[in-house]
Amino acid sequence: AWWDSRPPLGTDIWPASRLSIDAARVVHSGLVSDADIRARNLECLTKAFAGVSAADADQMLANYTEDLILEMPYAAGLHVLEGREKIRKFLHAAFKTLQFRLRITAVHDTIDPEMAVVEYVSEGVAPLTGKPYGNVYIGVYWFRDGLIYHVKEFFDPTLTAEALTPN
């Protein structure tokens, strides 16, 4: 009802206990909109993908938190990696076996502006075999303070294995 959306009589603001404003969104006494948060996060993701395209783990990981969690449920071997330094070691090896560019094809916003579901494709090569590599991905990304802190990435591991298998 209309009376539920108005502050208590005699005041022109709601008590802090009644507000549902996330403190992290208050910046310089103003509010950051969900659209601004999403734009910042997409820019962060685009920079991370540029690091992948350059096969540069340091450039990529500059856009992630120290306590990063990377989940790859369909990957061969490790399915969950935790910590930016552990993931850096993994990426240094991975970028020697596969080199590719990532291109975002769709971004699906969620109710939480600090989370996005992203569709993307890769195009590249497996240097050890010379075979082309391409895949289709769906990634669920969680952001904190403008950096990525959790990724759950789904892709077709058979396409990866095919590119890495010599003729």
Side-chain angles (χ1 to χ4, degrees):
W2 67 270
W3 57 85
D4 291 333
S5 62
R6 300 183 65 186
L9 290 175
T11 68
D12 48 346
I13 61 169
W14 278 104
S17 63
R18 292 287 312 263
L19 295 176
S20 62
I21 297 173
D22 182 357
R25 295 187 196 165
V26 178
V27 178
H28 303 293
S29 300
L31 293 179
V32 177
S33 72
D34 286 356
D36 290 339
I37 293 169
R38 287 185 175 98
R40 176 199 66 195
N41 292 342
L42 183 57
E43 180 180 347
C44 173
L45 184 59
T46 301
K47 289 178 183 177
F49 280 16
V52 172
S53 297
D56 185 335
D58 296 330
Q59 179 184 347
M60 176 189 163
L61 291 173
N63 301 283
Y64 293 81
T65 63
E66 287 287 334
D67 60 342
L68 167 64
I69 298 171
L70 173 60
E71 295 182 71
M72 298 176 290
Y74 299 144
L78 293 175
H79 297 282
V80 179
L81 296 167
E82 295 186 43
R84 191 163 58 186
E85 292 312 309
K86 185 174 185 179
I87 294 168
R88 186 183 318 275
K89 290 176 186 173
F90 167 79
L91 289 173
H92 281 298
F95 288 153
K96 291 177 185 172
T97 59
L98 292 172
Q99 295 176 354
F100 54 89
R101 287 186 304 279
L102 292 174
R103 183 175 52 84
I104 296 172
T105 57
V107 176
H108 305 281
D109 293 335
T110 66
I111 195 163
D112 179 357
E114 298 286 9
M115 179 186 181
V117 177
V118 184
E119 295 179 50
Y120 43 103
V121 295
S122 64
E123 181 181 325
V125 66
L128 300 175
T129 63
K131 289 183 173 181
Y133 173 69
N135 218 319
V136 177
Y137 304 80
I138 294 178
V140 183
Y141 287 81
W142 290 268
F143 299 84
R144 182 188 328 123
D145 301 324
L147 296 173
I148 301 162
Y149 79 89
H150 190 165
V151 178
K152 190 173 215 176
E153 184 176 74
F154 301 89
F155 58 92
D156 184 345
T158 63
L159 297 175
T160 307
E162 184 179 314
L164 296 174
T165 302
N167 288 333

Short mmCIF file of all heavy atoms in Angstrom, two decimals, residues 56-94:
data_model
loop_
_atom_site.label_atom_id
_atom_site.label_comp_id
_atom_site.label_asym_id
_atom_site.label_seq_id
_atom_site.Cartn_x
_atom_site.Cartn_y
_atom_site.Cartn_z
N ASP A 56 48.58 -14.05 -21.89
CA ASP A 56 49.31 -13.37 -20.82
C ASP A 56 48.54 -13.55 -19.50
O ASP A 56 47.57 -12.83 -19.23
CB ASP A 56 49.46 -11.89 -21.17
CG ASP A 56 50.30 -11.11 -20.19
OD1 ASP A 56 50.41 -11.52 -19.01
OD2 ASP A 56 50.86 -10.08 -20.59
N ALA A 57 49.00 -14.50 -18.70
CA ALA A 57 48.32 -14.81 -17.44
C ALA A 57 48.32 -13.61 -16.50
O ALA A 57 47.32 -13.36 -15.81
CB ALA A 57 48.98 -16.01 -16.76
N ASP A 58 49.42 -12.85 -16.48
CA ASP A 58 49.49 -11.70 -15.57
C ASP A 58 48.46 -10.63 -15.97
O ASP A 58 47.78 -10.07 -15.11
CB ASP A 58 50.89 -11.11 -15.56
CG ASP A 58 51.92 -12.08 -15.00
OD1 ASP A 58 51.55 -12.90 -14.13
OD2 ASP A 58 53.09 -12.03 -15.42
N GLN A 59 48.35 -10.36 -17.26
CA GLN A 59 47.37 -9.38 -17.74
C GLN A 59 45.96 -9.84 -17.42
O GLN A 59 45.13 -9.06 -16.97
CB GLN A 59 47.53 -9.16 -19.25
CG GLN A 59 46.54 -8.18 -19.84
CD GLN A 59 46.65 -8.06 -21.36
OE1 GLN A 59 47.61 -8.53 -21.96
NE2 GLN A 59 45.66 -7.45 -21.97
N MET A 60 45.70 -11.12 -17.64
CA MET A 60 44.38 -11.65 -17.35
C MET A 60 44.07 -11.55 -15.86
O MET A 60 43.03 -11.03 -15.45
CB MET A 60 44.31 -13.12 -17.78
CG MET A 60 43.00 -13.79 -17.45
SD MET A 60 43.11 -15.57 -17.76
CE MET A 60 41.71 -16.15 -16.83
N LEU A 61 45.00 -12.01 -15.02
CA LEU A 61 44.74 -12.10 -13.59
C LEU A 61 44.77 -10.76 -12.86
O LEU A 61 44.36 -10.69 -11.70
CB LEU A 61 45.72 -13.09 -12.95
CG LEU A 61 45.47 -14.54 -13.35
CD1 LEU A 61 46.59 -15.44 -12.83
CD2 LEU A 61 44.11 -15.02 -12.86
N ALA A 62 45.19 -9.71 -13.53
CA ALA A 62 45.12 -8.37 -12.93
C ALA A 62 43.66 -7.98 -12.69
O ALA A 62 43.39 -7.04 -11.94
CB ALA A 62 45.80 -7.35 -13.83
N ASN A 63 42.74 -8.70 -13.28
CA ASN A 63 41.31 -8.40 -13.18
C ASN A 63 40.58 -9.33 -12.22
O ASN A 63 39.35 -9.38 -12.22
CB ASN A 63 40.69 -8.47 -14.57
CG ASN A 63 41.35 -7.49 -15.51
OD1 ASN A 63 41.07 -6.30 -15.44
ND2 ASN A 63 42.25 -7.96 -16.34
N TYR A 64 41.32 -10.07 -11.42
CA TYR A 64 40.76 -11.05 -10.49
C TYR A 64 41.26 -10.78 -9.07
O TYR A 64 42.34 -10.24 -8.88
CB TYR A 64 41.18 -12.47 -10.89
CG TYR A 64 40.59 -12.94 -12.19
CD1 TYR A 64 41.15 -12.57 -13.41
CD2 TYR A 64 39.47 -13.77 -12.21
CE1 TYR A 64 40.60 -13.00 -14.61
CE2 TYR A 64 38.93 -14.20 -13.41
CZ TYR A 64 39.50 -13.81 -14.60
OH TYR A 64 38.96 -14.24 -15.78
N THR A 65 40.48 -11.21 -8.08
CA THR A 65 40.88 -11.06 -6.69
C THR A 65 41.92 -12.12 -6.32
O THR A 65 42.06 -13.14 -7.01
CB THR A 65 39.66 -11.20 -5.75
OG1 THR A 65 39.12 -12.51 -5.89
CG2 THR A 65 38.60 -10.15 -6.05
N GLU A 66 42.62 -11.90 -5.22
CA GLU A 66 43.62 -12.86 -4.73
C GLU A 66 42.98 -14.20 -4.39
O GLU A 66 43.58 -15.25 -4.57
CB GLU A 66 44.33 -12.32 -3.48
CG GLU A 66 45.30 -11.20 -3.74
CD GLU A 66 46.58 -11.66 -4.42
OE1 GLU A 66 46.97 -12.84 -4.28
OE2 GLU A 66 47.20 -10.83 -5.11
N ASP A 67 41.74 -14.16 -3.87
CA ASP A 67 41.07 -15.39 -3.42
C ASP A 67 40.16 -15.99 -4.50
O ASP A 67 39.21 -16.71 -4.21
CB ASP A 67 40.27 -15.13 -2.14
CG ASP A 67 39.18 -14.08 -2.30
OD1 ASP A 67 39.23 -13.29 -3.28
OD2 ASP A 67 38.29 -14.02 -1.45
N LEU A 68 40.50 -15.76 -5.74
CA LEU A 68 39.75 -16.25 -6.89
C LEU A 68 39.48 -17.75 -6.79
O LEU A 68 40.34 -18.53 -6.40
CB LEU A 68 40.55 -15.96 -8.17
CG LEU A 68 40.11 -16.65 -9.45
CD1 LEU A 68 38.73 -16.20 -9.87
CD2 LEU A 68 41.12 -16.38 -10.55
N ILE A 69 38.27 -18.13 -7.19
CA ILE A 69 37.90 -19.54 -7.34
C ILE A 69 37.52 -19.74 -8.80
O ILE A 69 36.69 -19.01 -9.34
CB ILE A 69 36.72 -19.92 -6.44
CG1 ILE A 69 37.09 -19.74 -4.98
CG2 ILE A 69 36.26 -21.36 -6.72
CD1 ILE A 69 35.92 -19.88 -4.01
N LEU A 70 38.15 -20.72 -9.45
CA LEU A 70 37.87 -21.06 -10.84
C LEU A 70 37.35 -22.48 -10.87
O LEU A 70 38.06 -23.42 -10.50
CB LEU A 70 39.13 -20.93 -11.70
CG LEU A 70 39.04 -21.41 -13.15
CD1 LEU A 70 37.98 -20.64 -13.92
CD2 LEU A 70 40.40 -21.29 -13.82
N GLU A 71 36.09 -22.63 -11.29
CA GLU A 71 35.48 -23.95 -11.42
C GLU A 71 35.31 -24.26 -12.90
O GLU A 71 34.81 -23.43 -13.65
CB GLU A 71 34.10 -23.98 -10.76
CG GLU A 71 34.10 -23.79 -9.27
CD GLU A 71 32.68 -23.88 -8.72
OE1 GLU A 71 32.12 -24.99 -8.70
OE2 GLU A 71 32.15 -22.82 -8.34
N MET A 72 35.71 -25.45 -13.29
CA MET A 72 35.52 -25.94 -14.66
C MET A 72 34.98 -27.36 -14.56
O MET A 72 35.73 -28.33 -14.65
CB MET A 72 36.85 -25.89 -15.42
CG MET A 72 37.41 -24.48 -15.56
SD MET A 72 39.03 -24.42 -16.34
CE MET A 72 40.05 -25.16 -15.06
N PRO A 73 33.67 -27.51 -14.33
CA PRO A 73 33.09 -28.82 -14.05
C PRO A 73 33.35 -29.88 -15.12
O PRO A 73 33.39 -31.07 -14.80
CB PRO A 73 31.59 -28.53 -13.94
CG PRO A 73 31.50 -27.08 -13.62
CD PRO A 73 32.68 -26.44 -14.27
N TYR A 74 33.50 -29.47 -16.39
CA TYR A 74 33.67 -30.45 -17.45
C TYR A 74 35.12 -30.63 -17.88
O TYR A 74 35.41 -31.41 -18.79
CB TYR A 74 32.84 -30.06 -18.68
CG TYR A 74 31.35 -30.00 -18.40
CD1 TYR A 74 30.56 -29.04 -19.01
CD2 TYR A 74 30.73 -30.90 -17.53
CE1 TYR A 74 29.19 -28.98 -18.76
CE2 TYR A 74 29.38 -30.84 -17.27
CZ TYR A 74 28.62 -29.88 -17.90
OH TYR A 74 27.27 -29.82 -17.65
N ALA A 75 36.05 -29.95 -17.25
CA ALA A 75 37.46 -30.04 -17.64
C ALA A 75 38.05 -31.38 -17.21
O ALA A 75 37.65 -31.96 -16.21
CB ALA A 75 38.25 -28.90 -17.00
N ALA A 76 39.03 -31.82 -17.99
CA ALA A 76 39.79 -33.02 -17.61
C ALA A 76 40.73 -32.63 -16.47
O ALA A 76 41.25 -31.52 -16.44
CB ALA A 76 40.59 -33.54 -18.80
N GLY A 77 40.92 -33.51 -15.52
CA GLY A 77 41.84 -33.22 -14.41
C GLY A 77 41.18 -32.37 -13.34
O GLY A 77 40.09 -32.67 -12.87
N LEU A 78 41.85 -31.27 -12.98
CA LEU A 78 41.35 -30.40 -11.92
C LEU A 78 40.04 -29.74 -12.32
O LEU A 78 39.91 -29.21 -13.41
CB LEU A 78 42.38 -29.32 -11.60
CG LEU A 78 43.68 -29.79 -10.97
CD1 LEU A 78 44.65 -28.61 -10.84
CD2 LEU A 78 43.41 -30.38 -9.60
N HIS A 79 39.08 -29.77 -11.40
CA HIS A 79 37.79 -29.15 -11.67
C HIS A 79 37.63 -27.83 -10.93
O HIS A 79 36.83 -27.00 -11.33
CB HIS A 79 36.65 -30.09 -11.29
CG HIS A 79 36.64 -31.34 -12.10
ND1 HIS A 79 36.18 -31.39 -13.39
CD2 HIS A 79 37.07 -32.59 -11.81
CE1 HIS A 79 36.33 -32.61 -13.87
NE2 HIS A 79 36.85 -33.37 -12.92
N VAL A 80 38.38 -27.65 -9.83
CA VAL A 80 38.31 -26.42 -9.04
C VAL A 80 39.72 -25.99 -8.69
O VAL A 80 40.52 -26.80 -8.19
CB VAL A 80 37.49 -26.61 -7.74
CG1 VAL A 80 37.46 -25.32 -6.93
CG2 VAL A 80 36.08 -27.09 -8.04
N LEU A 81 40.02 -24.74 -8.99
CA LEU A 81 41.30 -24.15 -8.61
C LEU A 81 41.01 -22.95 -7.71
O LEU A 81 40.09 -22.17 -8.00
CB LEU A 81 42.08 -23.68 -9.84
CG LEU A 81 42.52 -24.77 -10.81
CD1 LEU A 81 42.99 -24.14 -12.12
CD2 LEU A 81 43.63 -25.59 -10.19
N GLU A 82 41.79 -22.81 -6.65
CA GLU A 82 41.55 -21.71 -5.72
C GLU A 82 42.83 -20.92 -5.51
O GLU A 82 43.90 -21.50 -5.34
CB GLU A 82 41.05 -22.25 -4.37
CG GLU A 82 39.69 -22.90 -4.49
CD GLU A 82 39.12 -23.29 -3.14
OE1 GLU A 82 39.22 -22.49 -2.19
OE2 GLU A 82 38.56 -24.39 -3.05
N GLY A 83 42.71 -19.59 -5.55
CA GLY A 83 43.83 -18.70 -5.31
C GLY A 83 44.48 -18.24 -6.61
O GLY A 83 44.73 -19.04 -7.50
N ARG A 84 44.70 -16.95 -6.70
CA ARG A 84 45.22 -16.36 -7.93
C ARG A 84 46.58 -16.92 -8.31
O ARG A 84 46.84 -17.16 -9.48
CB ARG A 84 45.28 -14.83 -7.79
CG ARG A 84 45.56 -14.13 -9.10
CD ARG A 84 45.23 -12.67 -9.07
NE ARG A 84 45.95 -11.95 -8.05
CZ ARG A 84 45.75 -10.67 -7.76
NH1 ARG A 84 44.86 -9.97 -8.43
NH2 ARG A 84 46.43 -10.08 -6.82
N GLU A 85 47.46 -17.18 -7.34
CA GLU A 85 48.81 -17.67 -7.67
C GLU A 85 48.77 -19.10 -8.20
O GLU A 85 49.49 -19.45 -9.13
CB GLU A 85 49.75 -17.52 -6.49
CG GLU A 85 50.06 -16.07 -6.15
CD GLU A 85 50.44 -15.24 -7.38
OE1 GLU A 85 51.33 -15.65 -8.15
OE2 GLU A 85 49.82 -14.17 -7.58
N LYS A 86 47.92 -19.93 -7.62
CA LYS A 86 47.77 -21.30 -8.11
C LYS A 86 47.21 -21.29 -9.54
O LYS A 86 47.65 -22.05 -10.40
CB LYS A 86 46.86 -22.10 -7.18
CG LYS A 86 46.75 -23.55 -7.52
CD LYS A 86 45.95 -24.31 -6.47
CE LYS A 86 45.94 -25.79 -6.74
NZ LYS A 86 45.19 -26.52 -5.71
N ILE A 87 46.27 -20.41 -9.77
CA ILE A 87 45.67 -20.30 -11.10
C ILE A 87 46.67 -19.72 -12.08
O ILE A 87 46.71 -20.12 -13.25
CB ILE A 87 44.35 -19.49 -11.03
CG1 ILE A 87 43.32 -20.29 -10.21
CG2 ILE A 87 43.82 -19.15 -12.41
CD1 ILE A 87 42.09 -19.54 -9.81
N ARG A 88 47.53 -18.81 -11.64
CA ARG A 88 48.58 -18.26 -12.51
C ARG A 88 49.48 -19.38 -13.03
O ARG A 88 49.79 -19.44 -14.22
CB ARG A 88 49.41 -17.22 -11.76
CG ARG A 88 50.44 -16.50 -12.63
CD ARG A 88 51.28 -15.51 -11.83
NE ARG A 88 50.54 -14.71 -10.87
CZ ARG A 88 49.91 -13.58 -11.15
NH1 ARG A 88 49.91 -13.09 -12.37
NH2 ARG A 88 49.27 -12.91 -10.20
N LYS A 89 49.89 -20.30 -12.17
CA LYS A 89 50.72 -21.43 -12.58
C LYS A 89 49.99 -22.31 -13.59
O LYS A 89 50.55 -22.75 -14.58
CB LYS A 89 51.16 -22.25 -11.37
CG LYS A 89 52.15 -21.54 -10.49
CD LYS A 89 52.48 -22.34 -9.24
CE LYS A 89 53.37 -21.53 -8.32
NZ LYS A 89 53.57 -22.19 -7.04
N PHE A 90 48.72 -22.57 -13.32
CA PHE A 90 47.90 -23.36 -14.23
C PHE A 90 47.84 -22.68 -15.61
O PHE A 90 48.00 -23.33 -16.65
CB PHE A 90 46.50 -23.53 -13.65
CG PHE A 90 45.48 -24.05 -14.62
CD1 PHE A 90 45.43 -25.40 -14.93
CD2 PHE A 90 44.58 -23.19 -15.24
CE1 PHE A 90 44.50 -25.90 -15.84
CE2 PHE A 90 43.64 -23.67 -16.14
CZ PHE A 90 43.61 -25.02 -16.45
N LEU A 91 47.62 -21.37 -15.62
CA LEU A 91 47.47 -20.65 -16.89
C LEU A 91 48.77 -20.60 -17.69
O LEU A 91 48.74 -20.69 -18.92
CB LEU A 91 46.96 -19.23 -16.63
CG LEU A 91 45.51 -19.12 -16.17
CD1 LEU A 91 45.18 -17.69 -15.80
CD2 LEU A 91 44.56 -19.64 -17.23
N HIS A 92 49.91 -20.45 -17.01
CA HIS A 92 51.19 -20.45 -17.73
C HIS A 92 51.34 -21.74 -18.53
O HIS A 92 51.76 -21.70 -19.69
CB HIS A 92 52.36 -20.26 -16.77
CG HIS A 92 52.56 -18.83 -16.34
ND1 HIS A 92 52.87 -17.83 -17.21
CD2 HIS A 92 52.50 -18.27 -15.11
CE1 HIS A 92 52.99 -16.69 -16.55
NE2 HIS A 92 52.76 -16.92 -15.27
N ALA A 93 50.97 -22.86 -17.95
CA ALA A 93 51.04 -24.14 -18.66
C ALA A 93 49.95 -24.22 -19.74
O ALA A 93 50.20 -24.66 -20.87
CB ALA A 93 50.91 -25.30 -17.68
N ALA A 94 48.74 -23.79 -19.41
CA ALA A 94 47.62 -23.88 -20.34
C ALA A 94 47.88 -23.05 -21.60
O ALA A 94 47.56 -23.49 -22.71
CB ALA A 94 46.33 -23.42 -19.66
#
